[in-house]
Amino acid sequence: MSKEQSKGTIYPHVIPEIEDWPIYKLSEDRKNFVSQIDDLTFRRLEAKYGEKISDVIARTIYMERIRIKEEPWKVDPPNEKVFWKRIQRKLVKNSLSSAPEIAKLKNEEILQKVIHRYSEEIVGTFKIKTFLFARKFLTMFFNRLLNTAAGRNIHRIFGTRHRLQDKLLVKGEIDLVRKLIKKGTVVILPTHFSNLDSILIGYAMDSFAGLPSFSYGAGLNLYNTGYTAYFMNRLGAYRVDRRKKNPIYLECLKAMSSLSIQRGVNSLFFPGGTRSREGNIEKRLKLGLLSTVMEAQRTIYENKEEQKVFVVPLVLSYHFVLEAKYLIEQHLRRTGKERYMKTKDEFYSIRKNLKFLWQFFSASSEITLSFGKPMDVLGNFVDEDGVSFDSHGKVIEVKDYFMGEGNIKENRQRESEYTRLLAEKLVDRFHAENIVLSSHLVAFAAFKILERQNPNLDLYGILRLPADDYIFPKEILLDVIDQLKKALFALERAGKIKLSEEIYFDNEALLENGISKIGTYHTSKPLTINKQGQIISESFHLLFYYHNRLENYDLHEMLNWKTSELELANVMDSSEDEDE
């Protein structure tokens, strides 16, 4: 099967029996796994802080009490206040009434209690019955939703049944990833745009790509709903509480990730850390969890084992994003500060997510998952046997890069540099594996015209313009789209980007397709056509968000505005005449 044949293809499961899945085996050994996390975290903290352990505990207590007071969630344990008060009393008592040696031992006991509390909170379980029910329910739900929503389409009259695999498009290096699952441990690293990413990725990997379930991080906020919490707790997710920034919690999280990978559990986490607020492909990645991939590979070699860890970038492409309005306003408030009011993120609700899915399935739209070229932990491409090749095509041994004085040896500074280089390679691959949709291209072209016509305004000035007063000149828009297509074709030939089939439409069809798909969900459309047949925007904020998907490719530098300058001037002049 060709890697581009993925549309509509459903693969058989690589590992047919769920009892043989690494994540199931880990869940069955959960108690020992938690104990391993406790031990590794304690040893790391003791080595890092030594005599200052009491200070670390005190800092953690302080940060946790602030969190409980200022940002409580429904999912938080009811005994949290009591627990941290007791920990604080014990810490104070130790410091006042114990000899230094005894105080140290007692503080270590306190540390172990805190670590164990965090470990139990983080580690989830995997229940086969729950997984099978969720698989069956989601398939039935998505199919019912898709065909009910599509029932308004005339094709439904003739009995055409819409297929999920034509809506969730799984493309890229699926065959290679499937082979590597049998060769070592695979870590999927996706871009992150929506709270729906995890469920869509998990469903597509299981139902279409035939991959076993992965261990994945789910934000603790998603557990605030009872039904969601029930399934998350039993489907292999580990809980990540982004409110907790204290060193003990963060060390527990990293220990869990590293040990999980060492035990052969395929893993998935978002290296960007959170949803992209701007709507663009991540330019900088968080190195915390990413460093655990490096550590896991070194530890495997240190234990005289040969198992390799493979890293796979995954890029999601949406025509419209559920939380786009909230995300871009949050970004603009952060960068524009007092010029923007605080908005509430309401998109954890089941009602909002169902509404989005209804709109998605009602529309002639799709979500694309692009699996990139697998790499080793150093960022080298690998073949189907897991053999690594450098940039010149020469076979290399990853193990050699962890050697020191003739042995595999921990070197934090060296591994930190390896992690940084891997992050840079991932960012490059995210951009290369990105599949450009018609909505991305049309939004980018429209916003660049808006910027060109307002050269004296900064971004915030442009966004404050009244959107309903502006009409996008169709001929200019088509000219800019034509130029951008040529630039994108060149980037695609150079292997720096991927293009959807829509980009090969003629310019008129591409423009129409992009406008129809980008505006499906939002009440205020980023781009739409009014009753007079004119192209307008009802929200420059949303137009800016979707434009940002192509912002990191320097496409604006490839535009020749001379062909459109006269028409732009005429449009501006006619607009001024109307105002008079």
Side-chain angles (χ1 to χ4, degrees):
M1 285 182 191
S2 127
K3 66 182 179 182
E4 294 304 334
Q5 195 184 344
S6 303
K7 182 176 180 178
T9 299
I10 295 180
Y11 292 87
H13 268 276
V14 178
I15 305 175
E17 299 298 326
I18 298 179
E19 288 86 353
D20 295 330
W21 290 3
I23 194 170
Y24 172 75
K25 293 179 180 179
L26 181 70
S27 180
E28 289 295 284
D29 194 35
R30 185 182 186 277
K31 184 176 180 180
N32 287 332
F33 183 51
V34 168
S35 180
Q36 281 185 305
I37 295 171
D38 291 347
D39 292 342
L40 179 58
T41 305
F42 179 80
R43 284 188 278 111
R44 281 178 169 173
L45 289 170
E46 191 175 43
K48 188 173 182 179
Y49 296 103
E51 300 298 325
K52 295 183 179 180
I53 282 293
S54 61
D55 295 338
V56 174
I57 298 171
R59 181 183 170 194
T60 298
I61 294 168
Y62 173 75
M63 294 175 73
E64 286 290 56
R65 296 192 71 174
I66 290 176
R67 174 186 62 79
I68 293 167
K69 181 179 179 181
E70 296 184 357
E71 204 175 357
W73 285 349
K74 291 179 183 178
V75 70
D76 292 333
N79 68 336
E80 278 214 306
K81 287 184 179 179
V82 174
F83 174 81
W84 290 108
K85 280 183 180 178
R86 285 176 180 169
I87 293 295
Q88 186 175 35
R89 280 200 297 268
K90 288 181 179 179
L91 186 66
V92 172
K93 184 178 179 182
N94 290 346
S95 64
L96 294 177
S97 59
S98 300
E101 298 80 10
I102 298 175
K104 183 177 184 297
L105 290 173
K106 290 185 176 180
N107 286 338
E108 287 176 353
E109 289 177 8
I110 294 173
L111 178 62
Q112 287 169 338
K113 285 184 180 179
V114 174
I115 290 171
H116 185 70
R117 183 180 180 87
Y118 283 149
S119 298
E120 284 287 352
E121 174 191 304
I122 291 168
V123 178
T125 60
F126 184 86
K127 302 296 182 184
I128 293 179
K129 287 185 178 179
T130 306
F131 171 78
L132 292 175
F133 173 80
R135 175 196 277 174
K136 185 176 180 180
F137 171 78
L138 285 174
T139 301
M140 179 184 68
F141 172 73
F142 284 155
N143 273 311
R144 180 68 179 270
L145 193 62
L146 170 59
N147 286 285
T148 302
R152 292 176 293 182
N153 191 301
I154 191 169
H155 296 296
R156 182 66 173 152
I157 297 172
F158 299 101
T160 300
R161 186 166 180 81
H162 296 261
R163 302 185 309 165
L164 265 177
Q165 58 265 38
D166 295 328
K167 285 284 187 176
L168 290 175
L169 307 181
V170 181
K171 298 187 176 184
E173 302 284 351
I174 308 301
D175 293 300
L176 186 50
V177 173
R178 286 168 55 83
K179 289 173 182 175
L180 292 175
I181 285 282
K182 296 180 178 180
K183 300 289 182 180
T185 305
V186 173
V187 180
I188 302 284
L189 300 172
T191 55
H192 197 8
F193 296 101
S194 170
N195 281 325
L196 288 170
D197 290 347
S198 292
I199 189 171
L200 292 173
I201 293 171
Y203 182 80
M205 290 201 307
D206 172 60
S207 299
F208 303 150
L211 300 176
S213 282
F214 281 53
S215 172
Y216 63 95
L220 193 64
N221 51 286
L222 298 177
Y223 290 73
N224 276 321
T225 304
Y227 294 113
T228 307
Y230 177 84
F231 285 104
M232 290 282 196
N233 278 325
R234 291 162 176 79
L235 293 176
Y238 59 87
R239 293 173 282 265
V240 180
D241 190 343
R242 293 190 176 88
R243 299 170 301 170
K244 295 172 182 170
K245 307 292 186 183
N246 69 77
I248 301 177
Y249 180 81
L250 296 177
E251 205 62 61
C252 278
L253 198 59
K254 289 193 285 186
M256 181 283 309
S257 177
S258 178
L259 288 169
S260 175
I261 296 169
Q262 289 174 44
R263 292 179 63 148
V265 178
N266 304 299
S267 181
L268 182 153
F269 62 86
F270 298 103
T274 186
R275 293 165 294 171
S276 171
R277 263 55 184 170
E278 297 171 76
N280 58 3
I281 300 288
E282 285 92 334
K283 292 177 288 187
R284 294 183 183 84
L285 305 182
K286 304 284 187 182
L287 301 184
L289 282 181
L290 198 59
S291 69
T292 66
V293 178
M294 198 70 62
E295 180 194 345
Q297 182 66 90
R298 186 254 306 154
T299 306
I300 289 168
Y301 288 143
E302 211 169 4
N303 293 336
K304 310 298 182 184
E305 299 171 359
E306 297 299 322
Q307 172 189 332
K308 284 185 77 170
V309 180
F310 305 109
V311 172
V312 180
L314 171 61
V315 181
L316 287 92
S317 293
Y318 294 85
H319 280 291
F320 52 93
V321 175
L322 172 64
E323 310 98 308
K325 184 175 185 295
Y326 158 76
L327 293 172
I328 193 61
E329 288 187 0
Q330 190 181 59
H331 164 70
L332 292 169
R333 187 180 72 249
R334 189 163 52 206
T335 56
K337 297 181 180 178
E338 71 280 353
R339 284 175 278 187
Y340 285 89
M341 298 291 290
K342 184 175 182 179
T343 55
K344 183 181 179 183
D345 185 0
E346 301 174 337
F347 298 100
Y348 298 133
S349 77
I350 292 175
R351 184 180 66 82
K352 290 279 186 182
N353 288 332
L354 288 176
K355 182 182 177 184
F356 172 80
L357 289 170
W358 170 263
Q359 293 282 356
F360 164 62
F361 286 125
S362 299
S364 57
S365 187
E366 61 281 327
I367 295 173
T368 304
L369 290 81
S370 176
F371 284 81
K373 292 181 179 180
M375 302 179 286
D376 60 32
V377 298
L378 301 174
N380 302 297
F381 293 134
V382 299
D383 65 12
E384 62 183 31
D385 294 316
V387 177
S388 299
F389 298 86
D390 66 14
S391 58
H392 303 292
K394 182 181 176 182
V395 174
I396 62 170
E397 285 290 339
V398 173
K399 184 191 299 186
D400 293 344
Y401 288 80
F402 294 97
M403 298 288 285
E405 299 176 359
N407 297 306
I408 301 296
K409 192 174 182 180
E410 179 181 2
N411 184 320
R412 291 191 178 183
Q413 185 176 357
R414 177 180 61 192
E415 288 174 29
S416 176
E417 181 63 14
Y418 288 168
T419 302
R420 185 187 65 79
L421 293 172
L422 176 60
E424 291 178 0
K425 187 64 179 286
L426 277 168
V427 169
D428 288 342
R429 295 315 303 167
F430 281 157
H431 287 81
E433 305 292 351
N434 177 29
I435 296 179
V436 182
L437 305 181
S438 59
S439 53
H440 303 157
L441 178 52
V442 170
F444 186 85
F447 199 82
K448 288 307 171 193
I449 291 173
L450 194 60
E451 288 181 326
R452 183 71 180 181
Q453 287 195 277
N454 296 278
N456 297 322
L457 295 178
D458 64 6
L459 171 64
Y460 304 101
I462 290 173
L463 295 179
R464 284 196 297 269
L465 292 172
D468 52 2
D469 288 350
Y470 185 80
I471 297 168
F472 289 91
K474 184 176 180 180
E475 291 305 314
I476 299 174
L477 198 47
L478 288 170
D479 176 61
V480 174
I481 286 172
D482 187 64
Q483 292 189 57
L484 290 171
K485 282 175 63 176
K486 291 173 182 175
L488 288 170
F489 293 155
L491 288 174
E492 184 185 42
R493 287 192 296 271
K496 295 182 178 180
I497 205 166
K498 293 183 177 179
L499 307 179
S500 65
E501 296 172 4
E502 307 153 355
I503 305 302
Y504 291 90
F505 291 175
D506 67 68
N507 296 340
E508 287 266 4
L510 173 58
L511 177 60
E512 182 181 347
N513 186 272
I515 291 175
S516 67
K517 291 185 176 181
I518 195 175
T520 304
Y521 175 74
H522 303 292
T523 305
S524 299
K525 312 296 183 189
L527 283 174
T528 189
I529 299 175
N530 64 16
K531 293 179 180 178
Q532 291 75 40
Q534 299 164 322
I535 301 171
I536 62 170
S537 173
E538 295 173 341
S539 172
F540 288 160
H541 288 67
L542 285 172
L543 184 62
F544 174 63
Y545 174 87
Y546 289 108
H547 138 281
N548 284 342
R549 180 66 180 232
L550 294 177
E551 183 62 10
N552 297 334
Y553 293 90
D554 296 324
L555 291 171
H556 63 284
E557 296 180 359
M558 304 177 194
L559 289 174
N560 178 8
W561 289 100
K562 290 181 180 179
T563 58
S564 300
E565 286 296 341
L566 183 59
E567 290 181 76
L568 277 170
N570 290 337
V571 169
M572 294 177 73
D573 289 342
S574 63
S575 177
E576 290 172 3
D577 291 341
E578 288 175 10
D579 291 342
E580 291 176 4

